[in-house]
Amino acid sequence: MKQLFSLLIVFSFGFTQAQTVSSPSGKISLSFQLSASGQPTYSVNYKTKSVVVSSDLGIQLKDKPALNINFEIQTSKNNTFNESWKPVLGEQASIVNHYNELVVALIQKGTNIKVNLVFRAFDEGVAFRYDFPKQKELNYFIISNEDTQFNLTENNKVFWLPGDFDSNEYEYNETQFSDIDNSKINMNNGIGVKSIPGKYTVQTPLMMKSPSGLYVNIFEAAVVNYPVMHLKADVSSYKLKSELVPNAIGDKAYLQTPCVSPWRTIMISDDARDIVASKMILNLNEPSQLEDTSWIKPMKYVGIWWEMHVGNSTWDYAGSQNATTDFGTKLASTGRHGATTDNTKRYIDFAAKHGFDGVLVEGWNEGWEDWFGHEKDYVFDFISAYPDFDVKGIHEYAKSKGIKMIMHHETSGATRNYERHLDVAYQFMKDNGYNAVKSGYVGNILPLGEHHYSQSILNHYQYCIEKAVDYEIMVNAHEAVRPTGICRTYPNLIGNESARGTEFQAFGGSKANHTTVLPFTRLMGGPMDYTPGIFEMDIAKLNPGNNSHCNTTIANQLGLYVVMYSPLQMAADLPENYNRFLDAFQFIKDVPVEWATSKYVEAEPGYYITTARKDKNSNNWFVGNVNGLNARTSTISLDFLEKGKKYEATIYADASDAHYKTNPQAYKITKQIVTHKSKLKMTTASGGGYGISIVEVK
Ligand code: NOJ
Ligand code: CA
């Protein structure tokens, strides 16, 4: 004991005095200290609990001494910030941005290089970044590694994705921290790219739960001109260290001062709802500089899409040579091009009849006969339509029905080719009545050797978003980097896929609890174009050559429209499947895509989430639930409703015998009058869920 005591004295002796910043509520605090060697370190506490213990901060430079030791503190300053701002589109009309800040200005002995560390403490967590001021000692520099540690203390439960440099279209692995191991999982990233991360490298957002029930989420915000940060786990000591995605020659980031790193974020709460409700990631991004945002509009849409995924039609015009789709599904019949003028008009009619805003058409343009897998640079020009797709005629027809067309640009990963055509492609959209584009990056990134998540390719996605502003175009990018709150600065980024979306339900299915994890992970940084709304789960009924099963119930699919916030929501199934279940389809027709306010009623990652949101344009509320594998009954309170008002609730729930595998289409719809005093006892099936619309009775 005596020995330990003297050891502790020696250990703490060499450190400078800790400087602390606490969250406005006082629950979370971060302490900064320089070690005896002048190494910057930090630690984080939640209430009285130590969550992150002394963890190093530092940057390795190529051909220069590392920025990790020999630092001295020049100045340190504390600030407070409290404002609210109005997102153009969002889960709530107004967002509070309240934090305390500590800025420590450091100088490195010997080199005289100056680095500022900026720490912010919010009520839901902490964030920090490296800030490199303009100085003669550091102008151009190359980051070869970032040495940011997150030293945790417990063998947490972790929801993790392998640290693939190109894709996050994986199932979540739910294991103890000590069992993180990429060599034990199927490394098929779903986009036709081979990317082999280290055995213990995982992606962020990394969602964890400690043995005592503390929820911890590590992520990053405002990743601009920088690569993505993955984390390398030391599985025996519960430590994590940043691992930046390399470029083609192994470097991480090329920078010039003045510049900043992205924010590294750690959210902590003993209530999982605080994590999903947090707006910290958005708050850490710069406010939008766009003066006119009137052209940025939410959209509910249908499209020529699922029929290709299930294998009922093809993207390509000539007909697939092997009678399979490009994703390997055996076709119901060969040579059926999906994007024909007649088929598009059928979808436009359906959209107009049921009050949708837009129609997406994929496979409309030349190039799909041979589009990925061979590193072809020049595949698509984004303006040449197949002969059976009449761009002008469709524009006129859609306009006459009040429908906006949604453009599709599959880049096949050829970023240079896309940039080569971008102006002409966006102008073509403007000329033909398209104000939103779904882009995609399937296959290896070209230039070869670059990754979907390396610095220059992130700059490519950013370039496409910024250029789209010039043309007043909204962007929804698939296979691009997962968002880190960029939509605050560029609200025309209305969606991303960038996780395992519904398409995988046609390629063998996803785990039934997948969508109970996404709000804690992928959705932290911005809306997801998850493409919900599948009503026919047995894909063989649509195409006998495809035995995939969608692991969800119809009621679960309805719940997704509320749980998975997005200003862009697809009703992904075929019109004929909606026509079979028009009463359930009514919920999809009614559910809004922009909200005045949102409440998280219940949440447990991997198990369930229940979200209530108030429509931005009426007094109506919508509640959605998605449930994991265990059937569940819970009583929810409607205390969020306005006092003194009466509402009619229409409840779209799993039937008592529903089950995602054996009986996914069993639902029941009931109505009842409710007020803010009402409580509803809700039962959800395995892989089930519910949607409730609550309409004011006047
Ligand atoms: C993958 C996208 O996620 C999917 O939505 C799209 O249909 C295909 N790529 C083809 O571009
Ligand atoms: Ca995808």
Side-chain angles (χ1 to χ4, degrees), residues 375-391:
E375 279 54 272
K376 277 171 76 168
D377 179 57
Y378 199 130
V379 179
F380 299 105
D381 69 7
F382 313 97
I383 55 167
S384 298
Y386 282 126
D388 57 350
F389 187 82
D390 172 13
V391 176

Side-chain angles (χ1 to χ4, degrees), residues 59-63 142-146 244 250-253:
I59 302 277
Q60 303 275 348
L61 301 183
K62 189 172 176 178
D63 305 327
I142 301 173
I143 292 186
S144 56
N145 244 325
E146 186 184 309
L244 302 180
D251 295 332
K252 305 296 167 50

